[in-house]
Amino acid sequence: MSNNNIYRVGLIAAILATVSWFVYVFAQMSTPAPSGIENPQQFFQTVQEARTVFLFYGWSGVWGILLGIPYLFAFYMAIVERAPMVQLALLFVLIGSSLAIFGFFKPLTLVYEYLPMATTTDPELLPFLKTAADAAGEVMELPWNLGSLLLFGLGSGLFAFYAWRASIGPKWANACGLIGGLAGIVWLQAYVPFLVPMATILIATNILAISIWAIGLSVSLVRVSADYREEAMIKRPLPPSV
């Protein structure tokens, strides 16, 4: 696959990832917080009533992460010759993607695994089932936070930094990537209390800035690659006539 095709795939992935993240934001705002419900029966009833929203919340996050890999790989291909240290950013995003995806398995596991058990089990066992669901969710929080920090903070921020230094793509796009990467510090909010009041603004900035960067840089790479191929075709000598 030529770099031009890689950049085109990256652009499509960036657009679809952005759509996924907008669905995620909408679903997150609409998803109830059953973790604060003490009554086990009411807990699972809440999940049942909001089942569709939980699924949108989980799957949009999963696809948002998976669709980020193609465009980040395209950025890596464009940057690595001029800035070999971008390999560090690629390592961060690959590890971050593997860890962050666990966070979106939390609502999916709740709907696909625990909810069916709750509807068929003895009501007396519901408190134990809720305890198990809460424990499973807590286990997923740490890798989610760490993975999000690596993927949407350090990884994306370093990609934008190296693209800026290597003059790959427009400065405004890479500036958005840097802003989004810096806003990724929000994923430390569980451990840094002073970030909590700013969490909503930082999360919105993180998602929006990285989405603009991903699409903007992808469009630039596709255009530059297409112009380069067109120029090469013009300069290519004609075959000798027979």
Side-chain angles (χ1 to χ4, degrees):
M1 183 182 291
S2 68
N3 280 6
N4 182 260
N5 289 335
I6 291 174
Y7 299 154
R8 289 179 183 276
V9 171
L11 174 58
I12 294 171
I15 294 172
L16 293 177
T18 299
V19 172
S20 295
W21 288 124
F22 275 102
V23 173
Y24 161 77
V25 171
F26 174 77
Q28 185 187 44
M29 293 172 62
S30 306
T31 303
S35 57
I37 302 174
E38 296 296 333
N39 185 287
Q41 187 172 0
Q42 186 180 356
F43 173 88
F44 288 109
Q45 183 178 351
T46 300
V47 175
Q48 176 64 44
E49 292 173 351
R51 186 177 186 275
T52 302
V53 179
F54 274 97
L55 291 177
F56 272 114
Y57 172 60
W59 281 117
S60 61
V62 169
W63 283 109
I65 290 175
L66 293 179
L67 289 166
I69 296 175
Y71 73 71
L72 289 168
F73 179 73
F75 295 169
Y76 170 80
M77 295 295 292
I79 299 169
V80 66
E81 288 188 6
R82 299 189 192 180
M85 282 300 292
V86 76
Q87 294 177 21
L88 180 62
L90 182 65
L91 179 63
F92 282 156
V93 299
L94 290 177
I95 295 174
S97 298
S98 302
L99 293 175
I101 207 164
F102 279 99
F104 301 103
F105 286 158
K106 180 177 177 179
L108 297 178
T109 301
L110 193 58
V111 170
Y112 287 132
E113 184 174 351
Y114 290 102
L115 186 59
M117 287 192 290
T119 57
T120 57
T121 193
D122 190 319
E124 294 182 358
L125 298 177
L126 286 181
F128 300 101
L129 193 60
K130 180 181 180 301
T131 299
D134 289 341
E138 288 299 320
V139 168
M140 294 176 183
E141 284 292 327
L142 180 58
W144 184 18
N145 291 330
L146 177 58
S148 297
L149 177 66
L150 291 175
L151 174 58
F152 303 116
L154 292 174
S156 297
L158 281 175
F159 260 109
F161 172 73
Y162 287 120
W164 179 293
R165 291 193 60 182
S167 297
I168 303 293
K171 295 292 187 183
W172 65 263
N174 291 319
C176 286
L178 287 169
I179 293 171
L182 290 173
I185 194 175
V186 70
W187 301 109
L188 288 175
Q189 62 176 304
Y191 319 103
V192 184
F194 74 82
L195 291 174
V196 175
M198 301 180 289
T200 302
I201 295 175
L202 288 175
I203 290 174
T205 302
N206 185 235
I207 293 174
L208 184 59
I210 288 179
S211 296
I212 293 173
W213 168 66
I215 295 176
L217 186 53
S218 295
V219 169
S220 174
L221 291 176
V222 169
R223 285 179 175 175
V224 170
S225 180
D227 291 344
Y228 177 80
R229 288 183 64 186
E230 184 177 349
E231 183 179 347
M233 291 289 291
I234 294 173
K235 292 182 178 179
R236 182 180 301 172
L238 295 174
S241 58
V242 178

PDB file of all heavy atoms in Angstrom, residues 83-105:
ATOM      1  N   ALA A  83      11.743  12.821  11.865  1.00  0.00           N
ATOM      2  CA  ALA A  83      11.817  12.843  13.335  1.00  0.00           C
ATOM      3  C   ALA A  83      11.691  11.414  13.867  1.00  0.00           C
ATOM      4  O   ALA A  83      10.605  10.991  14.261  1.00  0.00           O
ATOM      5  CB  ALA A  83      10.728  13.746  13.910  1.00  0.00           C
ATOM      6  N   PRO A  84      12.798  10.648  13.858  1.00  0.00           N
ATOM      7  CA  PRO A  84      12.745   9.241  14.280  1.00  0.00           C
ATOM      8  C   PRO A  84      12.228   9.040  15.704  1.00  0.00           C
ATOM      9  O   PRO A  84      11.698   7.978  16.020  1.00  0.00           O
ATOM     10  CB  PRO A  84      14.207   8.785  14.157  1.00  0.00           C
ATOM     11  CG  PRO A  84      14.820   9.722  13.163  1.00  0.00           C
ATOM     12  CD  PRO A  84      14.142  11.038  13.381  1.00  0.00           C
ATOM     13  N   MET A  85      12.364  10.073  16.546  1.00  0.00           N
ATOM     14  CA  MET A  85      11.905   9.935  17.932  1.00  0.00           C
ATOM     15  C   MET A  85      10.396   9.816  18.040  1.00  0.00           C
ATOM     16  O   MET A  85       9.866   9.543  19.116  1.00  0.00           O
ATOM     17  CB  MET A  85      12.387  11.127  18.760  1.00  0.00           C
ATOM     18  CG  MET A  85      13.850  11.046  19.166  1.00  0.00           C
ATOM     19  SD  MET A  85      14.202   9.588  20.180  1.00  0.00           S
ATOM     20  CE  MET A  85      13.301  10.016  21.665  1.00  0.00           C
ATOM     21  N   VAL A  86       9.683   9.994  16.917  1.00  0.00           N
ATOM     22  CA  VAL A  86       8.227   9.819  16.936  1.00  0.00           C
ATOM     23  C   VAL A  86       7.869   8.372  17.262  1.00  0.00           C
ATOM     24  O   VAL A  86       6.717   8.072  17.606  1.00  0.00           O
ATOM     25  CB  VAL A  86       7.617  10.246  15.582  1.00  0.00           C
ATOM     26  CG1 VAL A  86       7.862   9.198  14.499  1.00  0.00           C
ATOM     27  CG2 VAL A  86       6.115  10.520  15.720  1.00  0.00           C
ATOM     28  N   GLN A  87       8.854   7.469  17.172  1.00  0.00           N
ATOM     29  CA  GLN A  87       8.615   6.077  17.561  1.00  0.00           C
ATOM     30  C   GLN A  87       8.177   5.988  19.020  1.00  0.00           C
ATOM     31  O   GLN A  87       7.400   5.105  19.392  1.00  0.00           O
ATOM     32  CB  GLN A  87       9.879   5.252  17.348  1.00  0.00           C
ATOM     33  CG  GLN A  87      10.277   5.132  15.883  1.00  0.00           C
ATOM     34  CD  GLN A  87      11.572   4.381  15.688  1.00  0.00           C
ATOM     35  OE1 GLN A  87      11.997   3.625  16.553  1.00  0.00           O
ATOM     36  NE2 GLN A  87      12.211   4.579  14.550  1.00  0.00           N
ATOM     37  N   LEU A  88       8.656   6.909  19.849  1.00  0.00           N
ATOM     38  CA  LEU A  88       8.238   6.946  21.251  1.00  0.00           C
ATOM     39  C   LEU A  88       6.752   7.266  21.353  1.00  0.00           C
ATOM     40  O   LEU A  88       6.028   6.648  22.151  1.00  0.00           O
ATOM     41  CB  LEU A  88       9.052   7.997  22.016  1.00  0.00           C
ATOM     42  CG  LEU A  88       8.732   8.169  23.507  1.00  0.00           C
ATOM     43  CD1 LEU A  88       9.008   6.879  24.262  1.00  0.00           C
ATOM     44  CD2 LEU A  88       9.542   9.323  24.094  1.00  0.00           C
ATOM     45  N   ALA A  89       6.291   8.209  20.546  1.00  0.00           N
ATOM     46  CA  ALA A  89       4.867   8.552  20.542  1.00  0.00           C
ATOM     47  C   ALA A  89       4.029   7.372  20.083  1.00  0.00           C
ATOM     48  O   ALA A  89       2.959   7.109  20.637  1.00  0.00           O
ATOM     49  CB  ALA A  89       4.623   9.758  19.639  1.00  0.00           C
ATOM     50  N   LEU A  90       4.513   6.654  19.068  1.00  0.00           N
ATOM     51  CA  LEU A  90       3.786   5.481  18.579  1.00  0.00           C
ATOM     52  C   LEU A  90       3.683   4.423  19.674  1.00  0.00           C
ATOM     53  O   LEU A  90       2.629   3.799  19.848  1.00  0.00           O
ATOM     54  CB  LEU A  90       4.490   4.894  17.353  1.00  0.00           C
ATOM     55  CG  LEU A  90       3.802   3.678  16.717  1.00  0.00           C
ATOM     56  CD1 LEU A  90       2.446   4.058  16.154  1.00  0.00           C
ATOM     57  CD2 LEU A  90       4.689   3.077  15.624  1.00  0.00           C
ATOM     58  N   LEU A  91       4.757   4.235  20.435  1.00  0.00           N
ATOM     59  CA  LEU A  91       4.732   3.279  21.545  1.00  0.00           C
ATOM     60  C   LEU A  91       3.691   3.682  22.582  1.00  0.00           C
ATOM     61  O   LEU A  91       2.919   2.838  23.070  1.00  0.00           O
ATOM     62  CB  LEU A  91       6.120   3.194  22.190  1.00  0.00           C
ATOM     63  CG  LEU A  91       6.268   2.250  23.387  1.00  0.00           C
ATOM     64  CD1 LEU A  91       6.004   0.807  22.971  1.00  0.00           C
ATOM     65  CD2 LEU A  91       7.646   2.380  24.016  1.00  0.00           C
ATOM     66  N   PHE A  92       3.640   4.970  22.910  1.00  0.00           N
ATOM     67  CA  PHE A  92       2.668   5.461  23.885  1.00  0.00           C
ATOM     68  C   PHE A  92       1.236   5.200  23.426  1.00  0.00           C
ATOM     69  O   PHE A  92       0.395   4.751  24.208  1.00  0.00           O
ATOM     70  CB  PHE A  92       2.865   6.960  24.137  1.00  0.00           C
ATOM     71  CG  PHE A  92       4.010   7.285  25.056  1.00  0.00           C
ATOM     72  CD1 PHE A  92       4.627   8.528  25.004  1.00  0.00           C
ATOM     73  CD2 PHE A  92       4.485   6.357  25.957  1.00  0.00           C
ATOM     74  CE1 PHE A  92       5.679   8.838  25.846  1.00  0.00           C
ATOM     75  CE2 PHE A  92       5.550   6.651  26.805  1.00  0.00           C
ATOM     76  CZ  PHE A  92       6.146   7.895  26.745  1.00  0.00           C
ATOM     77  N   VAL A  93       0.943   5.495  22.138  1.00  0.00           N
ATOM     78  CA  VAL A  93      -0.442   5.356  21.680  1.00  0.00           C
ATOM     79  C   VAL A  93      -0.849   3.887  21.556  1.00  0.00           C
ATOM     80  O   VAL A  93      -2.017   3.552  21.796  1.00  0.00           O
ATOM     81  CB  VAL A  93      -0.685   6.099  20.352  1.00  0.00           C
ATOM     82  CG1 VAL A  93      -0.422   7.587  20.504  1.00  0.00           C
ATOM     83  CG2 VAL A  93       0.131   5.515  19.217  1.00  0.00           C
ATOM     84  N   LEU A  94       0.092   3.020  21.222  1.00  0.00           N
ATOM     85  CA  LEU A  94      -0.255   1.599  21.128  1.00  0.00           C
ATOM     86  C   LEU A  94      -0.538   1.016  22.510  1.00  0.00           C
ATOM     87  O   LEU A  94      -1.517   0.281  22.707  1.00  0.00           O
ATOM     88  CB  LEU A  94       0.873   0.821  20.443  1.00  0.00           C
ATOM     89  CG  LEU A  94       1.052   1.104  18.946  1.00  0.00           C
ATOM     90  CD1 LEU A  94       2.241   0.326  18.392  1.00  0.00           C
ATOM     91  CD2 LEU A  94      -0.217   0.757  18.167  1.00  0.00           C
ATOM     92  N   ILE A  95       0.310   1.348  23.475  1.00  0.00           N
ATOM     93  CA  ILE A  95       0.065   0.890  24.856  1.00  0.00           C
ATOM     94  C   ILE A  95      -1.205   1.539  25.392  1.00  0.00           C
ATOM     95  O   ILE A  95      -2.048   0.892  26.019  1.00  0.00           O
ATOM     96  CB  ILE A  95       1.258   1.216  25.763  1.00  0.00           C
ATOM     97  CG1 ILE A  95       2.505   0.436  25.318  1.00  0.00           C
ATOM     98  CG2 ILE A  95       0.944   0.888  27.226  1.00  0.00           C
ATOM     99  CD1 ILE A  95       3.757   0.800  26.075  1.00  0.00           C
ATOM    100  N   GLY A  96      -1.355   2.846  25.134  1.00  0.00           N
ATOM    101  CA  GLY A  96      -2.531   3.566  25.615  1.00  0.00           C
ATOM    102  C   GLY A  96      -3.821   3.019  25.044  1.00  0.00           C
ATOM    103  O   GLY A  96      -4.819   2.889  25.760  1.00  0.00           O
ATOM    104  N   SER A  97      -3.812   2.677  23.747  1.00  0.00           N
ATOM    105  CA  SER A  97      -5.015   2.116  23.127  1.00  0.00           C
ATOM    106  C   SER A  97      -5.403   0.800  23.774  1.00  0.00           C
ATOM    107  O   SER A  97      -6.588   0.538  24.037  1.00  0.00           O
ATOM    108  CB  SER A  97      -4.779   1.899  21.621  1.00  0.00           C
ATOM    109  OG  SER A  97      -4.520   3.113  20.970  1.00  0.00           O
ATOM    110  N   SER A  98      -4.401  -0.044  24.045  1.00  0.00           N
ATOM    111  CA  SER A  98      -4.659  -1.357  24.651  1.00  0.00           C
ATOM    112  C   SER A  98      -5.264  -1.221  26.045  1.00  0.00           C
ATOM    113  O   SER A  98      -6.127  -2.012  26.438  1.00  0.00           O
ATOM    114  CB  SER A  98      -3.361  -2.163  24.720  1.00  0.00           C
ATOM    115  OG  SER A  98      -2.798  -2.336  23.436  1.00  0.00           O
ATOM    116  N   LEU A  99      -4.820  -0.210  26.784  1.00  0.00           N
ATOM    117  CA  LEU A  99      -5.305  -0.028  28.157  1.00  0.00           C
ATOM    118  C   LEU A  99      -6.634   0.739  28.197  1.00  0.00           C
ATOM    119  O   LEU A  99      -7.547   0.373  28.947  1.00  0.00           O
ATOM    120  CB  LEU A  99      -4.256   0.716  28.991  1.00  0.00           C
ATOM    121  CG  LEU A  99      -2.945  -0.024  29.263  1.00  0.00           C
ATOM    122  CD1 LEU A  99      -1.966   0.893  29.991  1.00  0.00           C
ATOM    123  CD2 LEU A  99      -3.186  -1.290  30.083  1.00  0.00           C
ATOM    124  N   ALA A 100      -6.736   1.796  27.385  1.00  0.00           N
ATOM    125  CA  ALA A 100      -7.922   2.659  27.453  1.00  0.00           C
ATOM    126  C   ALA A 100      -9.189   1.934  27.041  1.00  0.00           C
ATOM    127  O   ALA A 100     -10.280   2.263  27.516  1.00  0.00           O
ATOM    128  CB  ALA A 100      -7.722   3.895  26.574  1.00  0.00           C
ATOM    129  N   ILE A 101      -9.045   0.962  26.171  1.00  0.00           N
ATOM    130  CA  ILE A 101     -10.237   0.265  25.682  1.00  0.00           C
ATOM    131  C   ILE A 101     -10.949  -0.492  26.799  1.00  0.00           C
ATOM    132  O   ILE A 101     -12.153  -0.741  26.729  1.00  0.00           O
ATOM    133  CB  ILE A 101      -9.852  -0.681  24.523  1.00  0.00           C
ATOM    134  CG1 ILE A 101     -11.035  -0.886  23.585  1.00  0.00           C
ATOM    135  CG2 ILE A 101      -9.302  -2.006  25.027  1.00  0.00           C
ATOM    136  CD1 ILE A 101     -10.645  -1.476  22.252  1.00  0.00           C
ATOM    137  N   PHE A 102     -10.204  -0.812  27.879  1.00  0.00           N
ATOM    138  CA  PHE A 102     -10.821  -1.490  29.016  1.00  0.00           C
ATOM    139  C   PHE A 102     -11.913  -0.637  29.644  1.00  0.00           C
ATOM    140  O   PHE A 102     -12.911  -1.159  30.142  1.00  0.00           O
ATOM    141  CB  PHE A 102      -9.767  -1.829  30.083  1.00  0.00           C
ATOM    142  CG  PHE A 102      -8.995  -3.067  29.787  1.00  0.00           C
ATOM    143  CD1 PHE A 102      -7.732  -3.008  29.223  1.00  0.00           C
ATOM    144  CD2 PHE A 102      -9.520  -4.321  30.077  1.00  0.00           C
ATOM    145  CE1 PHE A 102      -7.003  -4.156  28.939  1.00  0.00           C
ATOM    146  CE2 PHE A 102      -8.814  -5.473  29.803  1.00  0.00           C
ATOM    147  CZ  PHE A 102      -7.548  -5.398  29.233  1.00  0.00           C
ATOM    148  N   GLY A 103     -11.737   0.680  29.636  1.00  0.00           N
ATOM    149  CA  GLY A 103     -12.732   1.555  30.243  1.00  0.00           C
ATOM    150  C   GLY A 103     -14.085   1.457  29.573  1.00  0.00           C
ATOM    151  O   GLY A 103     -15.127   1.596  30.221  1.00  0.00           O
ATOM    152  N   PHE A 104     -14.084   1.196  28.267  1.00  0.00           N
ATOM    153  CA  PHE A 104     -15.346   1.111  27.539  1.00  0.00           C
ATOM    154  C   PHE A 104     -15.926  -0.290  27.564  1.00  0.00           C
ATOM    155  O   PHE A 104     -17.073  -0.501  27.166  1.00  0.00           O
ATOM    156  CB  PHE A 104     -15.134   1.603  26.104  1.00  0.00           C
ATOM    157  CG  PHE A 104     -14.647   3.020  26.065  1.00  0.00           C
ATOM    158  CD1 PHE A 104     -13.317   3.308  25.811  1.00  0.00           C
ATOM    159  CD2 PHE A 104     -15.511   4.070  26.331  1.00  0.00           C
ATOM    160  CE1 PHE A 104     -12.863   4.614  25.799  1.00  0.00           C
ATOM    161  CE2 PHE A 104     -15.070   5.375  26.329  1.00  0.00           C
ATOM    162  CZ  PHE A 104     -13.738   5.649  26.065  1.00  0.00           C
ATOM    163  N   PHE A 105     -15.137  -1.249  28.039  1.00  0.00           N
ATOM    164  CA  PHE A 105     -15.689  -2.572  28.294  1.00  0.00           C
ATOM    165  C   PHE A 105     -16.550  -2.567  29.560  1.00  0.00           C
ATOM    166  O   PHE A 105     -17.354  -3.465  29.766  1.00  0.00           O
ATOM    167  CB  PHE A 105     -14.576  -3.605  28.456  1.00  0.00           C
ATOM    168  CG  PHE A 105     -13.905  -3.977  27.163  1.00  0.00           C
ATOM    169  CD1 PHE A 105     -12.628  -4.515  27.158  1.00  0.00           C
ATOM    170  CD2 PHE A 105     -14.547  -3.795  25.956  1.00  0.00           C
ATOM    171  CE1 PHE A 105     -12.007  -4.854  25.960  1.00  0.00           C
ATOM    172  CE2 PHE A 105     -13.944  -4.142  24.762  1.00  0.00           C
ATOM    173  CZ  PHE A 105     -12.662  -4.674  24.765  1.00  0.00           C
TER     174      PHE A 105
END
